[in-house]
Amino acid sequence: MNILEIIEKKTKGEELTKEELNYAIMGYVNDEIPDYQMSSFLMAVYLKGMTDKETIDLTDIMLHSGKVLDFGFDSIDKHSTGGVGDKTTIVLAPLMAALDVKMLKMSGRGLGHTGGTIDKLEAISGFQTNISLEEVQKQVEDIGVAIVSQMGGLCPADKKLYALRDVTGTVASIPLIASSIMSKKLASGASKIIIDLKVGNGALMTNLEDAKELARIMVNIGHLNGKETICVLTNMDEPLGNAIGNSLEVLEAIDTLKGNGPKDLNELVINLGSLMLSLDKNMPIEEAIEYVENALEKGLGYEKLVEMVAYQHGDIDNIPVSSKKFDIKAYQSGYIKSINALKLGELARKLGAGRFAKDDVIDQTVGFVLHKKVGDKVLKDEVLITVYYNEKDLPLSDIFDCFEYSDEEISKPTLIYEIIKKENL
Ligand code: URA
């Protein structure tokens, strides 16, 4: 067997055997196959796709490329495929713990124009995210919740392949995304998996058809591995909530936990939270919704967040936001027709909220707060968005370009498109 034959076989669109996939992936992990050949292999997969069998085999090889954890207790993992303004995990993890659902959440950093939960939480002064498995297990036993960085030694194949995909134009491939996400989720020990699969211009999946196909294969892989897996397809055409940028998003998550969140984020939290609660407690969904709404109203999740932040050495009263800011006002009256999530995510990155190179240091204090969302009526000179900046400024025209107006009334976009479970495949 050699890598050239494998690349050529995939280039012809033929199905690879598990042995061939193993040879390619483990050869790359062990530095026996160079970047340029793996890039070519990835491009062949990107262009020709994979059969279900290949995707399932690839996931299995990646999953077993490193440690596979077993927490010794039932827990639910919630994963987002990435979007703009997505601070849902920071709300959901403590909220679920307040309702007696154990949450040991391993999260990632920002990727491209999308933000990452770990970068956001590090906006809380002193907050530690690099914690050993033993300490995290103790924390979850003590207070029911921890949000930490991915443990070293889990899925080294994904770590290496993802970094290469990021710079070879091979990220948006259904088999490569499915195997990347599912290998990590299966290796990280949760018994049940909920995936918030974002769809829209600010997401990796830009249309519903592709998103459904990705959901189908991920749900199947989860079940083949004995883990109940549910994909919730949600809108990412406009940013989620009002805040974009690390500190600003943590502050919005806190408002939401205190019952004062923006409507769309609140709706998403209630939908995902009730699904998680009903799954964990085997409870009818209507009952779960009542529990989640009650916890939000009473601020129970906020109390849990305070406990979690203190446990992880953070200071909840110290989440700095830049004092330099300016407002951008509407240049016409009308209705907001669209707010381009992708462009705003890229602009937040340019302000310093995200990275362009692996070693860039993030500015936690910058970002945007939207004052209008799609479907809102706006009058000329009303504030559309506040820009928090520091070192780097932005041309106003770039921000104006993110908004489209309509003279006609625009209905509010659908937030939850579909819930995909094993039984409805
Ligand atoms: N998130 C992941 O973890 N992997 C992908 O390939 C895409 C999104």
Side-chain angles (χ1 to χ4, degrees), residues 216-279:
R216 182 191 65 77
I217 185 74
M218 289 200 290
V219 168
N220 273 337
I221 292 172
H223 284 260
L224 280 171
N225 284 275
K227 313 259 177 177
E228 172 141 28
T229 302
I230 299 178
C231 284
V232 184
L233 272 47
T234 70
N235 187 323
M236 189 32 78
D237 276 325
E238 68 171 333
L240 182 66
N242 300 327
I244 303 162
N246 301 287
S247 298
L248 294 165
E249 291 194 40
V250 175
L251 293 171
E252 186 167 86
I254 290 175
D255 283 346
T256 308
L257 282 166
K258 289 179 172 173
N260 304 317
K263 201 169 163 300
D264 55 351
L265 176 60
N266 208 49
E267 186 185 333
L268 185 63
V269 164
I270 292 170
N271 273 278
L272 294 176
S274 54
L275 197 57
M276 289 163 79
L277 186 62
S278 75
L279 209 58

Side-chain angles (χ1 to χ4, degrees), residues 79 81 111 162 165 176-177 180-181 184 204:
H79 182 85
T81 56
L111 186 73
Y162 199 92
R165 285 168 59 210
L176 296 179
I177 296 174
S180 161
I181 292 179
K184 277 191 294 244
L204 287 179

Side-chain angles (χ1 to χ4, degrees), residues 342-353 368 394-395 398-399 402:
L342 173 63
K343 276 192 193 160
L344 271 180
E346 284 295 358
L347 291 176
R349 186 143 78 126
K350 284 191 186 155
L351 277 178
F368 301 113
L394 292 173
D398 284 1
I399 305 173
C402 298

Side-chain angles (χ1 to χ4, degrees), residues 120 170 173 179 186 194 197 228 230 236 294-295 312 320 350 354 362 374 401:
K120 292 172 198 184
T170 52
S173 147
S179 53
L186 294 169
I194 305 264
L197 207 168
E228 172 141 28
I230 299 178
M236 189 32 78
N294 180 55
Q312 292 181 234
K350 284 191 186 155
I362 279 186
V374 172
D401 283 352

